[in-house]
């Protein structure tokens, strides 16, 4: 099998939720942590489709769901055994900040020279903070578009 060009990783909101008792905040009161909430962003599928249509191999991995479904799922071993050209990690909603950064740290631990790219709404807004982390190589930012004024 040929090498994957890009692995898109979706992290749980809190990386070590299986090991530590955590104090849930107001977001967990509104949106319980279920496989429905831990769905990866829809943009992953559209980006993967576009890239594959242009000859790149892309793999989407929902770490959050794997961790919820498999109690003994070893995230580090799973990431260690990958060998893509680059990793992409979403940070769309701010509650995923902890999980996304922790997953990026694991990626860099086993793949120190492989680029780690962040994207998403919160990544765009907090791009300066994100790029300050050693485990983040690039941040893709959306730019706001202004609608033309009528007339």
């Amino acid at each position: 099998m040929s090498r994957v060009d890009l692995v898109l990783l979706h992290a749980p909101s809190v990386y070590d939720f299986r090991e530590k008792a955590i104090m849930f905040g107001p977001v967990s009161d509104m949106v319980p942590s279920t496989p429905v909430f831990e769905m990866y962003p829809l943009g992953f599928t559209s980006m993967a489709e576009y890239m594959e249509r242009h000859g790149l191999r892309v793999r989407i991995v929902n770490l959050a769901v794997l961790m919820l479904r498999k109690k003994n799922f070893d995230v580090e071993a799973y990431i260690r055994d990958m060998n893509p050209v680059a990793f992409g990690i979403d940070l769309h909603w701010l509650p995923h900040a902890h999980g996304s950064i922790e997953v990026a740290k694991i990626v860099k631990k086993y793949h120190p020279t492989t680029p780690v790219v962040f994207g998403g709404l919160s990544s765009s807004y907090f791009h300066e903070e994100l790029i300050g982390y050693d485990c983040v190589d690039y941040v893709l930012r959306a730019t706001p578009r202004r609608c033309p004024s009528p007339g």
Side-chain angles (χ1 to χ4, degrees), residues 67-112:
M67 292 170 76
L68 281 168
R69 289 186 181 163
K70 300 176 183 180
K71 183 180 178 184
N72 296 323
F73 177 70
D74 188 342
V75 176
E76 291 203 26
Y78 192 79
I79 289 173
R80 181 194 64 222
D81 293 343
M82 294 179 174
N83 188 28
V85 174
F87 287 92
I89 299 175
D90 67 285
L91 179 52
H92 186 70
W93 299 118
L94 206 48
H96 286 263
H98 179 267
S100 295
I101 295 293
E102 292 303 311
V103 166
K105 289 176 184 177
I106 293 167
V107 168
K108 280 299 181 187
K109 176 179 177 181
Y110 295 104
H111 306 280

Side-chain angles (χ1 to χ4, degrees), residues 10 22 28 41-42 50 90 93 101 104 106 108 118 142 144-145:
H10 177 64
I22 51 178
S28 64
L42 186 57
Y50 178 86
D90 67 285
W93 299 118
I101 295 293
I106 293 167
K108 280 299 181 187
F118 266 67
R145 295 186 183 248

Side-chain angles (χ1 to χ4, degrees), residues 1 6 14 35 75 85 100 111 122 130-131 145:
M1 181 178 277
L6 177 65
V14 176
V75 176
V85 174
S100 295
H111 306 280
S122 294
L130 278 173
I131 205 64
R145 295 186 183 248

